[in-house]
Amino acid sequence: MDRPALPNDPGSFWMPFTANRAFHQDPRLITAADGMYYTSHDGRQIMDATAGLWCVNAGHNDPLIVEAVQKQISTLDYAPHFNFGTPQAFELASKLADLFPAGLNHVFFTNSGSESVDTALKIALHYHRMRGDAARTRLIGRERGYHGVGFGGISVGGIVKNRAQFGTLLNGVDHMRHTHDPARNAFSRGCPEHGAELADDLIRIAELHDPSTIAAVIVEPMAGSTGVLLPPVGYLQRLREICDRYGILLIFDEVITAYGRLGRASAAEYFGVKPDLITTAKGLTNGSVPMGAVIVDERIYTSAMENADAPIELFHGYTYSAHPLAVAAALASLESYRRNDLFARADALAPLWEQAVHSLKGLPHVADLRNLGLVGAVELQPRPGAPGARGTEAMKMAWAEGLMIRVTGDIIALSPPLIITEDEIQQLFGKLAGILRRLD
Ligand code: PXG
Ligand code: PLP
């Protein structure tokens, strides 16, 4: 494998969530992609076991999406959506309203998951205030939650390193306990049995602050970025009940789980729990053009329309909300998911995927294995005194052997495009097993 040449000043590009200095010494460059595979700078085919960053659900360079974006850029490159509109944006919003659970019928467009989260938090605050329930200003997140990197998102988020350097963040935020309990739940297949009672932590927090001061709770129905933490059976239902009891809005952050990852359009549908708002991004455009969308319950939208104190109901929006290229990419992505029946495909593959994930049991360093839909996690025992080192090394070995995996500390997360074949699943886990056997 040739080492790729970087410019003399590689630091010009300050890379996101990356060990920049280490990357300059050992760069991994990607030059093309198609279907399940990337092409590396030295012409190798690299299987994409992560769908990029959980976003390329239909596989790379889906012709439907490529053509739609090409056509759009040569027809209408940009149009504002402040005071003006494009027909396709309305069409996309109504398609999304159909895709998400009944009642979640209104869509606010953003450009990323982080913006979707900040948008949802603001809509929640706005909703209570416009109803005259202005004391409801507190926002509740959860330990180990990832909600992107805006100030709202890191405030309700619970990943300490993402928060520690950035001052006092938003006021009036508290966090529930996370649900990760390997002592009781290690090697569970699908959602773990123990831990529904952890939802009651919301009761403790609500009673501590006075429930009438709490605007919203935000959780990932399945936490991806923090290392694939699955909700205990019954946990999300219980959270919903407690929110209803106290008049708290429930936000599901589905930036990873929406658009087929769990074999359904949304985790809300998968778990049969209806939140009041859903944040999405990533798979909305198959990763091809940045876009996010917040799906909002009927009563929140209606309330804003009826109770607004100014002609503009919500003082919020982005230059690129409903950008024409993103809208074209999203319409084509939804069409591709539908035509290829990809959500059902993910659902049908999930049992085989589960078998494959749990086939790694007993291999060196494997402390836990988790799976749900087409998501898998391999939690490795950290090297004594060097947390994360083993994970990073596994990622580098995988790259050298033609496999892209994602690591969070010592947890390997797997989330392939939903077009993966049974044969490719076997190849993926065969390769990974070999790596684990040789990993120090
Ligand atoms: N919420 C959730 C639940 C996410 O997973 C975001 C918000 C933020 O989205 P943007 O588009 O602003 O990045 C995310 C993003 C990983 C990984 O390695 C996960 C994400 C992003 C990058 C890496 O698991 N999730
Ligand atoms: N900063 C300045 C100076 C701006 O004028 C704008 C938008 O007009 C923004 C930030 C926000 O940018 P965006 O709408 O792309 O989020």
Side-chain angles (χ1 to χ4, degrees):
M1 192 178 29
D2 298 336
R3 171 159 302 183
L6 290 182
N8 289 332
D9 56 349
S12 304
F13 174 25
W14 190 339
M15 296 173 71
F17 275 117
T18 294
N20 279 254
R21 291 159 296 173
F23 188 90
H24 299 160
Q25 300 308 311
D26 181 20
R28 290 168 292 281
L29 299 187
I30 298 160
T31 54
D34 196 50
M36 279 294 300
Y37 293 88
Y38 288 108
T39 307
S40 65
H41 73 279
D42 52 353
R44 295 177 306 123
Q45 290 298 100
I46 312 275
M47 186 195 279
D48 183 1
T50 58
L53 284 176
W54 312 81
C55 44
V56 187
N57 292 357
H60 294 274
N61 293 359
D62 184 312
L64 210 61
I65 303 169
V66 171
E67 278 165 32
V69 175
Q70 284 173 337
K71 189 156 162 251
Q72 186 60 49
I73 187 74
S74 59
T75 311
L76 173 63
D77 55 350
Y78 175 79
H81 288 81
F82 297 11
N83 288 325
F84 303 93
T86 56
Q88 292 85 351
F90 289 89
E91 183 190 343
L92 176 59
S94 71
K95 288 214 155 110
L96 291 172
D98 288 344
L99 194 65
F100 286 87
L104 290 156
N105 290 337
H106 303 275
V107 180
F108 199 101
F109 289 114
T110 71
N111 308 290
S112 67
S114 297
E115 289 181 357
S116 290
V117 166
D118 281 16
T119 297
L121 297 174
K122 287 173 76 174
I123 289 176
L125 293 171
H126 177 264
Y127 168 72
H128 292 301
R129 185 162 170 128
M130 290 297 128
R131 285 186 313 117
D133 200 354
R136 287 193 186 268
T137 55
R138 291 184 197 276
L139 300 166
I140 311 299
R142 192 169 58 183
E143 292 170 345
R144 291 191 69 163
Y146 184 69
H147 301 294
V149 292
F151 271 102
I154 61 173
S155 299
V156 292
I159 296 180
V160 176
K161 280 210 155 50
N162 293 356
R163 301 162 49 87
Q165 312 299 328
F166 306 113
T168 53
L169 311 182
L170 286 187
N171 289 319
V173 171
D174 207 342
H175 294 77
M176 298 182 287
R177 290 179 56 193
H178 67 72
T179 63
H180 192 38
D181 187 358
R184 289 198 293 171
N185 289 324
F187 299 103
S188 293
R189 288 174 179 247
C191 288
E193 188 186 338
H194 303 288
E197 73 284 356
L198 288 164
D200 294 350
D201 207 35
L202 181 55
I203 301 178
R204 176 185 67 80
I205 289 175
E207 296 297 338
L208 174 70
H209 296 294
D210 183 334
S212 72
T213 68
I214 300 181
V217 170
I218 182 166
V219 292
E220 301 156 273
M222 183 214 77
S225 194
T226 185
V228 182
L229 310 186
L230 307 176
V233 173
Y235 173 89
L236 294 171
Q237 284 80 358
R238 203 141 154 182
L239 215 49
R240 176 73 271 182
E241 285 161 24
I242 299 165
C243 285
D244 286 343
R245 191 188 312 163
Y246 290 129
I248 300 169
L249 295 177
L250 179 60
I251 305 169
F252 275 1
D253 186 349
E254 296 222 34
V255 167
I256 278 176
T257 51
Y259 312 111
R261 182 55 50 199
L262 302 182
R264 297 286 189 286
S266 62
E269 181 185 334
Y270 180 86
F271 289 110
V273 176
K274 202 180 116 194
D276 303 294
L277 299 115
I278 296 180
T279 53
T280 76
K282 294 191 189 265
L284 170 56
T285 58
N286 205 43
S288 61
V289 181
M291 185 178 225
V294 182
I295 328 294
V296 181
D297 188 77
E298 190 65 50
R299 79 178 194 287
I300 296 175
Y301 176 82
T302 306
S303 164
M305 296 304 123
E306 288 173 357
N307 299 325
D309 57 0
I312 293 173
E313 298 91 357
L314 183 68
F315 283 84
H316 179 71
Y318 302 97
T319 303
Y320 301 128
S321 283
H323 190 287
L325 283 194
V327 169
L331 284 169
S333 299
L334 297 183
E335 181 58 17
S336 177
Y337 297 152
R338 193 188 62 79
R339 270 197 215 171
N340 301 310
D341 215 3
L342 283 186
F343 304 169
R345 181 188 170 80
D347 196 42
L349 282 173
L352 177 83
W353 175 262
E354 177 175 291
Q355 285 292 108
V357 170
H358 289 273
S359 72
L360 302 176
K361 194 170 180 186
L363 290 179
H365 321 301
V366 173
D368 189 15
L369 295 161
R370 300 188 279 280
N371 73 283
L372 199 70
L374 280 191
V375 180
V378 184
E379 181 150 359
L380 302 175
Q381 210 78 57
R383 235 175 240 162
R390 195 167 264 151
T392 302
E393 201 165 304
M395 181 269 289
K396 290 182 177 173
M397 286 169 75
W399 172 258
E401 294 177 33
L403 185 65
M404 182 185 283
I405 59 175
R406 175 83 192 141
V407 290
T408 305
D410 289 298
I411 303 172
I412 299 171
L414 302 167
S415 55
L418 312 180
I419 59 166
I420 193 168
T421 62
E422 295 191 5
D423 196 42
E424 285 163 338
I425 291 176
Q426 304 305 350
Q427 288 173 36
L428 192 174
F429 284 94
K431 215 163 240 185
L432 193 55
I435 289 164
L436 293 177
R437 285 198 191 92
R438 277 175 287 113
L439 188 61
D440 270 349

